[in-house]
Amino acid sequence: MCHVKFKYPEQACVHPKLLSAINQVCRAYGKDALCTGGYRSLECQKTTARIVLEKNKGSYQLNDGSVYIGTGSSRKCLSAAYGKSNHCFGLAMDMDGWFEALENKELSGYGLIKPLDYEPWHVQLIELTGLSEDRKAAIRDSILKGEAFDMTIREFQALTALNVDGIPGPKTQKKAREVLLVCQKILGNDFKSPQEVIAATQKNPELWLAKLKEVKYFDSFILNIVKKMSGRE
Ligand SMILES: [Zn+2]
């Protein structure tokens, strides 16, 4: 199956949705692609800025680490300030070769966008553009920890038609319990008896099934845990 390869494997730590959108494009066009720039650590950014300075005659670097060429209205940013580029948050990928020729009208169907006209290789997710720096930092941390960053409290509140304030108050918690019950049903974790719990969760169910008969209140103990964990108070 066609997919993207990273020129520098240490930069592969990008947002999982971005990666999967890029892979979708690869499959649709039936070609592998090469990513020359993904997640950049600070060290990596410094090296990138140095390379950009060497490659572009007349370019200059500001105190914040950003690299520019030209002045006034024709001034162009060639490399963002240290820590400010979307690459530092795992939210951008620089794509080589055939990917550069793709236009926004072709990419938008995959949820992707090239926000910079003069960087036809720089691709981001439409839904993750224009975020605050705090939000970007939270996303970066969750990517680096290996957690897929799927939904925020705000997104959950918007989805369930609650007041969107980002605070998990009583109404948000109540809604989360309701949704959790449905999720448990969908996932088949909606356990009704201690036997079901043991069969689904234990490596050696026989051992524990026997204990149901031997240990007093063991069955209600198990179902109490299920009740607590499924949010049924
Ligand atoms: Zn880029």
Side-chain angles (χ1 to χ4, degrees):
M1 201 145 48
C2 297
H3 64 102
V4 59
K5 294 185 179 84
F6 285 85
K7 190 173 180 187
Y8 310 102
E10 69 276 16
Q11 294 191 22
C13 216
V14 294
H15 197 288
K17 275 190 188 170
L18 174 61
L19 189 59
S20 90
I22 297 273
N23 278 329
Q24 265 183 35
V25 176
C26 291
R27 285 198 292 273
Y29 285 78
K31 292 183 230 182
D32 284 333
L34 182 69
C35 173
T36 54
Y39 165 70
R40 289 192 199 125
S41 62
L42 180 60
E43 276 318 300
C44 191
Q45 273 232 298
K46 286 182 179 169
T47 311
T48 303
R50 207 173 53 231
I51 293 169
V52 168
L53 278 166
E54 281 166 14
K55 265 194 186 166
N56 295 277
K57 217 173 161 316
S59 64
Y60 52 94
Q61 189 168 31
L62 302 185
N63 284 337
D64 61 6
S66 57
V67 179
Y68 285 90
I69 195 159
T71 49
S73 60
S74 66
R75 190 174 89 146
K76 262 198 294 191
C77 180
L78 298 179
S79 182
Y82 292 151
K84 303 285 178 194
S85 156
N86 278 311
H87 286 284
C88 310
F89 300 98
L91 295 173
M93 284 168 72
D94 290 341
M95 301 300 298
D96 203 30
W98 62 273
F99 225 102
E100 278 193 43
L102 297 179
E103 290 179 23
N104 276 331
K105 62 174 189 285
E106 295 162 291
L107 289 172
S108 63
Y110 301 91
L112 294 167
I113 187 169
K114 292 180 175 177
L116 308 165
D117 287 345
Y118 53 90
E119 283 193 11
W121 53 85
H122 180 102
V123 186
Q124 293 181 212
L125 277 173
I126 295 170
E127 65 173 293
L128 296 178
T129 50
L131 301 177
S132 71
E133 201 145 311
D134 282 355
R135 181 78 206 286
K136 286 190 203 176
I139 291 175
R140 176 201 57 210
D141 292 347
S142 70
I143 297 171
L144 292 178
K145 268 191 262 164
E147 299 160 4
F149 197 85
D150 282 324
M151 194 183 282
T152 63
I153 293 170
R154 281 176 179 278
E155 284 161 353
F156 176 77
Q157 288 170 332
L159 188 75
T160 51
L162 292 165
N163 183 25
V164 180
D165 60 6
I167 300 163
K171 280 184 190 158
T172 304
Q173 289 191 15
K174 184 169 172 273
K175 189 54 81 181
R177 279 189 208 104
E178 285 170 29
V179 172
L180 185 58
L181 292 181
V182 180
C183 292
Q184 305 282 38
K185 272 208 182 88
I186 294 169
L187 296 170
N189 294 335
D190 192 26
F191 303 122
K192 298 280 190 310
S193 71
Q195 284 83 359
E196 267 181 52
V197 181
I198 289 171
T201 61
Q202 300 306 302
K203 262 198 189 139
N204 185 0
E206 299 316 313
L207 174 89
W208 295 100
L209 286 170
K211 296 234 183 276
L212 282 177
K213 290 183 195 130
E214 294 161 18
V215 184
K216 213 176 172 186
Y217 305 126
F218 187 44
D219 50 350
S220 23
F221 174 72
I222 293 173
L223 282 183
N224 270 337
I225 295 174
V226 171
K227 230 164 100 184
K228 278 274 174 209
M229 293 193 73
S230 65
R232 272 169 280 188
E233 290 303 316

